């Protein structure tokens, strides 16, 4: 049966054969487009790696735009929220029918108007980022009193996400996008580095339409994506066991009730060690089952959320994050010629307005010099280390392998690297860098007020200590310590 004939039978079966010509033409065009694009997209999807598929996994998943916890977005430092229109705020087909009728403006639900009003009262910039036509977007923008819109955005292309950020002078970490389309809204937003919020489809026209397509054996590209995510255990069918299952807010672990999905054994072996601690945390609750991928994905998000909460507790709520470690830019490995004395390897990347240098170094650690003095060992020791994978952590070896973090502000007067901190390891203790973020006061316009905070955690056999390092754009480094045996250290003000 041809695709057009299937479409005609479909509309007849749904009792939609009496629809206005604009709507029936639109549905037929959708069928044709799906038929033309689906096979090519399916072939492309087969070549996707797990990392590629993660672009389709949102930071927030909720039933509707009214269920999102916008307070959590505010806490994260989000300043701008962009919304898709069609099937995110209201029914796409009826929007298009109204938009095609002369003298009729596209109107939005009262609840949506109230939501936009409340979000603006919370201090958010609220915009529309949509693939629909400009005249529909203009009507909706006016009806919702949004701050602006970009129509025909061509999502999942990222250029109009970037254009929106340029218009309103925000960084990716300060923008969230809300939409119903996992392939356009979520993948586009994730690739642009913004926080992504997926909601279920608003309205009923395309819900019925897509359900009927599925019965006819015509899978949409969205169906294909979800099937691939299910295969890798990165998604779950919702509402199968418990109403509300799968929905989650920013930084939360999805509460799945289904069995773990299968995934390649090599990937499973690699992730088991990294996720072991988190698995122990959830084993106590036998009613919940998490896949290793779900736990792995949320490790950095939990660290990020905890770090942001700590900074807000000490610095107040009037701070905006201009960059966070998981969203680094321009990351690259240092070439051999770029390595400094004592450096074995290293990476540089950008967080906010700062370039961060993270290097593995071999420093002298004996009676003559402690490793904290940062005295590089000679080339002979480095050569021996590289040849033999020599890892000396205990006393008496004469050397210490450490991670050294330095940075420089990308504005005027930043010629060299400013040392920030060292993280070392030993037989019975360990230090690790767990969080990096750039931020500035919300009320601060000058870029010079931007600072970098880096979290280093010491873990011993009986206690742990948290060290926060602050680098200002003028090159000054300040350290704040939170020690379990010193309650006053938790109450020290971090403001200059």
């Amino acid at each position: 049966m041809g695709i057009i004939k299937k479409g005609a039978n479909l509309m007849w079966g749904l009792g939609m054969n009496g629809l206005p010509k604009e709507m029936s033409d639109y549905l037929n065009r959708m069928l044709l487009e799906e038929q033309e694009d689906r096979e090519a997209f399916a072939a492309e999807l087969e070549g996707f790696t797990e990392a590629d598929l993660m672009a389709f996994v949102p930071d927030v998943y909720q039933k509707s735009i009214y269920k999102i916890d916008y307070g959590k977005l505010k806490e994260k430092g989000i300043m701008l929220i962009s919304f898709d229109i069609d099937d995110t705020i209201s029914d796409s087909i009826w929007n298009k029918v109204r938009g095609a009728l002369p003298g009729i403006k596209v109107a939005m639900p009262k609840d949506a108007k109230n939501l936009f009003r409340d979000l603006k009262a919370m201090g958010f910039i609220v915009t529309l980022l949509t693939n629909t036509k400009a005249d529909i977007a203009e009507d909706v923008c006016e009806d919702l009193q949004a701050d602006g819109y970009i129509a025909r955005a061509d999502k999942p292309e990222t250029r109009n996400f970037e254009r929106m950020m340029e218009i309103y002078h925000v960084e990716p970490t300060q923008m969230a996008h809300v939409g119903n389309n996992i392939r356009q809204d979520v993948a586009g937003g994730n690739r642009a580095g913004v926080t992504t919020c997926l909601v279920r489809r608003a309205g009923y026209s395309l819900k019925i339409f897509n359900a009927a397509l599925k019965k006819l054996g015509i899978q949409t590209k969205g169906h294909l994506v979800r099937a691939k995510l299910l295969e890798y255990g990165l998604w779950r069918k919702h509402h199968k066991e418990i109403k509300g299952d799968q929905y989650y807010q920013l930084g939360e672990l999805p509460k799945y009730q289904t069995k773990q999905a299968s995934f390649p054994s090599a990937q499973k072996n690699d992730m088991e060690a990294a996720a072991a601690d988190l698995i122990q945390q959830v084993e106590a609750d036998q009613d919940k089952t998490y896949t290793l991928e779900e736990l792995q994905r949320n490790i950095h998000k939990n660290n990020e959320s905890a770090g942001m909460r700590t900074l807000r507790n000490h610095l107040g709520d009037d701070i905006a994050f201009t960059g966070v470690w998981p969203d680094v830019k321009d990351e690259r490995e240092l070439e051999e010629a770029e390595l400094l004395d004592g450096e074995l390897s290293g990476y540089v990347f950008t967080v906010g307005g700062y370039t961060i240098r993270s290097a593995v170094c071999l420093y002298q650690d004996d009676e003559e010099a402690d490793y904290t003095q940062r005295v590089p060992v000679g080339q002979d020791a480095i050569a021996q280390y590289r040849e033999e994978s020599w890892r000396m952590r205990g006393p008496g070896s004469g050397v210490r392998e450490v991670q050294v973090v330095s940075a420089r502000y990308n504005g005027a007067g930043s010629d060299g690297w400013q040392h920030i901190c060292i993280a070392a390891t030993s037989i019975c203790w360990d230090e690790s860098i767990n969080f990096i973020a750039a931020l500035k006061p919300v009320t601060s316009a000058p870029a010079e007020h931007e600072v970098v905070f880096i979290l280093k955690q010491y873990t011993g056999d009986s206690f742990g200590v948290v060290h926060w390092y602050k680098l200002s754009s003028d090159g000054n480094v300040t350290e704040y310590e939170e020690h379990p045996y010193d309650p006053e250290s938790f109450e020290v003000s971090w403001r200059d």
Side-chain angles (χ1 to χ4, degrees):
M1 183 184 294
I3 192 74
I4 293 296
K5 189 173 182 180
K6 280 187 177 183
N9 288 347
L10 170 62
M11 287 185 282
W12 179 270
L14 293 174
M16 299 170 69
N17 55 305
L19 290 174
K21 185 176 184 302
E22 293 86 353
M23 183 180 290
S24 61
D25 288 347
Y26 173 68
L27 294 177
N28 276 324
R29 285 198 303 272
M30 283 188 57
L31 283 169
L32 281 170
E33 290 173 1
E34 284 292 337
Q35 180 72 3
E36 292 169 357
D37 294 346
R38 183 175 63 87
E39 292 183 3
F41 181 72
E44 180 185 358
L45 197 59
E46 285 303 313
F48 277 26
T49 65
E50 185 174 348
D52 296 328
L53 291 171
M54 285 303 300
F56 298 105
V57 181
D59 297 301
V60 175
Y61 177 48
Q62 282 299 313
K63 186 174 183 179
S64 72
I65 60 175
Y66 310 108
K67 296 294 186 180
I68 295 172
D69 188 342
Y70 294 99
K72 286 194 173 184
L73 298 182
K74 189 74 173 178
E75 289 176 5
K76 186 185 177 183
I78 298 298
M79 301 174 66
L80 183 151
I81 305 177
S82 61
F83 286 81
D84 176 49
I85 297 175
D86 289 338
D87 297 316
T88 295
I89 302 176
S90 62
D91 193 297
S92 63
I93 292 181
W94 289 113
N95 289 343
K96 288 173 173 60
V97 170
R98 293 188 188 103
L101 297 174
I104 303 296
K105 287 197 170 186
V106 179
M108 291 291 102
K110 182 179 178 181
D111 287 345
K113 296 178 184 179
N114 292 339
L115 174 63
F116 272 53
R117 178 201 63 203
D118 294 344
L119 292 177
K120 293 177 75 172
M122 290 175 68
F124 288 113
I125 301 167
V126 188
T127 65
L128 305 169
L129 185 60
T130 174
N131 285 359
T132 197
K133 299 189 300 181
D135 53 352
I136 293 178
E138 184 177 2
D139 285 353
V140 175
C141 185
E142 180 180 346
D143 198 39
L144 293 176
Q145 294 295 293
D147 292 299
Y149 70 89
I150 294 178
R152 297 194 180 278
D154 201 23
K155 297 173 291 184
E157 295 296 324
T158 61
R159 62 179 179 276
N160 280 307
F161 287 94
E162 294 160 359
R163 181 182 164 206
M164 184 70 78
M165 288 182 269
E166 289 173 3
I167 292 172
Y168 293 98
H169 307 291
V170 297
E171 297 291 328
T173 54
Q174 297 171 306
M175 176 178 174
H177 179 68
V178 181
N180 75 93
N181 193 303
I182 197 171
R183 191 176 57 86
Q184 297 176 359
D185 297 299
V186 175
N190 282 339
R191 288 165 183 160
V194 308
T195 297
T196 51
C197 307
L198 178 69
V199 295
R200 297 190 72 191
R201 190 182 299 280
Y204 293 96
S205 299
L206 284 186
K207 285 181 182 178
I208 298 171
F209 186 72
N210 286 340
L213 283 178
K214 193 172 183 180
K215 288 186 178 180
L216 288 172
I218 305 172
Q219 284 189 303
T220 67
K221 291 184 284 293
H223 290 146
L224 294 171
V225 169
R226 282 181 169 84
K228 202 67 176 175
L229 293 177
L230 283 165
E231 178 185 334
Y232 276 79
L234 301 174
W235 195 254
R236 287 293 179 274
K237 292 183 178 179
H238 40 263
H239 309 304
K240 292 298 181 183
E241 282 78 22
I242 294 180
K243 186 177 181 180
D245 183 34
Q246 183 173 339
Y247 294 142
Y248 51 91
Q249 303 283 6
L250 190 66
E252 296 177 350
L253 290 170
K255 299 177 177 62
Y256 298 137
Q257 288 283 345
T258 53
K259 294 181 180 179
Q260 294 189 21
S262 61
F263 43 85
S265 58
Q267 296 176 7
K268 180 176 180 180
N269 292 336
D270 289 341
M271 287 187 288
E272 278 181 343
D277 291 341
L278 282 178
I279 291 174
Q280 291 177 2
Q281 293 177 26
V282 299
E283 277 181 344
D285 191 343
Q286 298 299 322
D287 294 332
K288 298 186 179 72
T289 303
Y290 300 87
T291 68
L292 293 171
E293 290 94 337
E294 291 155 7
L295 297 171
Q296 181 83 351
R297 173 180 175 271
N298 282 279
I299 289 173
H300 80 81
K301 289 188 177 295
N302 290 338
N303 287 341
E304 178 183 346
S305 178
M308 287 180 168
R309 284 198 303 272
T310 300
L311 292 175
R312 290 190 186 280
N313 287 340
H314 282 278
L315 301 174
D317 292 328
D318 62 332
I319 56 175
F321 288 88
T322 56
V324 185
W325 198 356
D327 303 319
V328 301
K329 298 179 180 178
D330 306 322
E331 182 178 8
R332 67 176 181 85
E333 186 174 4
L334 292 170
E335 300 288 342
E336 184 84 21
E338 297 178 278
L339 296 176
L340 305 176
D341 288 345
E343 290 185 345
L344 302 170
S345 63
Y347 285 84
V348 293
F349 47 86
T350 300
V351 176
Y354 291 79
T355 299
I356 311 293
R357 183 189 187 101
S358 176
V360 176
C361 302
L362 209 59
Y363 285 162
Q364 186 176 337
D365 190 29
D366 53 24
E367 294 180 357
E368 296 181 2
D370 186 81
Y371 72 92
T372 57
Q373 296 175 263
R374 296 187 285 132
V375 178
V377 299
Q379 288 300 315
D380 290 343
I382 290 179
Q384 184 178 0
Y385 178 92
R386 286 176 170 163
E387 181 180 347
E388 301 176 6
S389 297
W390 187 32
R391 299 184 62 86
M392 295 293 187
R393 295 189 174 186
S397 64
V399 299
R400 176 86 64 176
E401 180 190 307
V402 299
Q403 179 185 2
V404 178
V405 181
S406 53
R408 61 186 179 199
Y409 180 61
N410 294 332
S414 297
D415 298 326
W417 296 103
Q418 174 64 52
H419 173 76
I420 299 177
C421 62
I422 292 177
T425 55
S426 185
I427 293 176
C428 57
W429 54 266
D430 179 79
E431 292 177 337
S432 58
I433 306 298
N434 287 345
F435 181 72
I436 301 175
L439 56 91
K440 65 179 180 180
V442 173
T443 56
S444 170
E448 289 76 14
H449 292 160
E450 186 182 34
V451 298
V452 163
F453 272 94
I454 295 178
L455 168 63
K456 180 181 78 174
Q457 290 184 296
Y458 165 87
T459 303
D461 54 3
S462 60
F463 68 92
V465 182
V466 174
H467 301 269
W468 283 94
Y469 297 88
K470 171 187 173 185
L471 172 65
S472 303
S473 56
D474 60 7
N476 288 327
V477 177
T478 310
E479 180 182 359
Y480 306 94
E481 181 181 279
E482 294 181 351
H483 198 292
Y485 299 153
D486 181 12
E488 292 185 1
S489 67
F490 293 88
E491 301 172 5
V492 173
S493 173
W494 289 8
R495 291 185 178 274
D496 291 335

